[in-house]
Amino acid sequence: MKIKMFIPVALILCLAFSLCACGTNVNTPANTTAPATTTAVNTEATTTAPATTTAATTTVSAPDFTEEDALELVKNTYDFDEEYFFVSNGTVEIDGTNYYAVNLRKSLETNTTYISSYFVTLDGSEIKEGYINGEEAVISDEKPAIDVNEENAVKVVEAAYDFEEGCFLTYRGVEEIDGTTYYAVDLRKSLEANTTYLSSYFVKADGTKIVEGYYEGGTAVLAE
C-alpha cells in the first residue's frame, strides 16, 4: 500500500520538474542579421555642357579722315568746268586749327595756274574757302592776293575768265590809272585774215583785283 502511493507522488514531482524546466528554457530565435540595405546612389556622370563658343567679333574702326578723303569731299562739294581741277597740298595750320589744303587750279595752254584753296578740317566736318599767299594760308571769301608780275598777268586773266573760242589774250604793258599801277592785258579775237581788238583787262600789281576796261585813243579807261 505504501509503495503504490509513492509512485503517484513521484510522477507528480517528475511532471512538476519538467514544467519548471520548460519554463526556464526561453525560445530565443536565431539572431538573423537583416541584409544591409543597399541604397542605390544615382551617380550619373555630370556632363558639363560645352562652353558656348561666340564667334569673335572684330571691331574695325572707321579709318581716319585722310588727305585723299579731303580731296574727294571737295570734288563732290563743288562743281567747276572741266578746265578746273583740284590737287591736295598737305596740311596747314590757321589760327591754331589744322586743315587739309586743297588747291583749285585751272588748265592753261601750256601749264596750269593757281586759283584759290578750300581748307578741310581734319575730321572732314567743315570746308572753309581761302587762299595761300606765299607761305601763309588765309581763310577769306575775297579773291586771293596773287604775286602778279608782267610775265604772268595774262595767265591771271585766263584763270579768272572764260572766253569764247577764237579769243586770246596779249600782254600790253604797265598802266598807271588814278594813282594805281595795273598790268594791261588785251583781249583779241582771231578773224579769217587777221585779229581784232575787243577790250582790255587791268590787273592790279598787287594781284588783288582785275578791272575790265578798254583803250580809247591810246588812253586806258576802266569800265567801272
Side-chain angles (χ1 to χ4, degrees):
M1 180 75 181
K2 290 181 180 179
I3 294 173
K4 290 180 180 181
M5 291 183 64
F6 177 77
I7 293 172
V9 172
L11 291 173
I12 292 171
L13 290 173
C14 287
L15 180 62
F17 181 77
S18 299
L19 292 172
C20 289
C22 291
T24 59
N25 188 13
V26 178
N27 188 16
T28 305
N31 184 16
T32 305
T33 303
T37 303
T38 303
T39 304
V41 179
N42 187 13
T43 52
E44 294 180 357
T46 303
T47 305
T48 304
T52 303
T53 304
T54 303
T57 302
T58 304
T59 302
V60 180
S61 58
D64 293 334
F65 191 79
T66 64
E67 186 175 354
E68 291 72 20
D69 296 329
L71 180 60
E72 289 302 315
L73 177 62
V74 173
K75 286 180 178 178
N76 295 330
T77 302
Y78 298 90
D79 185 23
F80 288 93
D81 293 335
E82 59 183 10
E83 65 266 26
Y84 292 90
F85 62 95
F86 295 102
V87 292
S88 297
N89 194 36
T91 58
V92 296
E93 182 178 341
I94 306 173
D95 298 331
T97 301
N98 290 319
Y99 298 88
Y100 290 115
V102 178
N103 291 345
L104 175 65
R105 301 188 68 86
K106 183 178 180 180
S107 298
L108 304 178
E109 290 183 3
T110 58
N111 56 12
T112 65
T113 186
Y114 170 78
I115 304 297
S116 61
S117 297
Y118 297 110
F119 301 108
V120 185
T121 53
L122 297 188
D123 60 359
S125 61
E126 190 174 6
I127 302 175
K128 295 186 176 181
E129 299 181 22
Y131 58 91
I132 296 177
N133 184 16
E135 297 297 324
E136 182 185 7
V138 180
I139 293 175
S140 175
D141 294 332
E142 298 178 0
K143 253 186 175 179
I146 303 173
D147 185 16
V148 179
N149 52 46
E150 294 183 59
E151 287 72 25
N152 65 14
V154 170
K155 296 177 182 178
V156 171
V157 176
E158 285 179 338
Y161 297 89
D162 288 324
F163 299 106
E164 64 182 37
E165 187 176 354
C167 293
F168 63 96
L169 298 170
T170 60
Y171 177 69
R172 183 158 186 162
V174 179
E175 294 285 354
E176 183 174 338
I177 306 172
D178 298 331
T180 301
T181 301
Y182 296 89
Y183 297 111
V185 177
D186 289 346
L187 175 64
R188 303 185 69 86
K189 185 172 183 178
S190 298
L191 303 177
E192 291 184 2
N194 55 13
T195 64
T196 185
Y197 169 79
L198 297 180
S199 63
S200 295
Y201 294 87
F202 299 97
V203 184
K204 289 184 69 174
D206 63 1
T208 59
K209 195 173 185 180
I210 301 174
V211 182
E212 297 184 34
Y214 55 91
Y215 276 89
E216 186 176 47
T219 302
V221 179
L222 301 181
E224 64 176 11

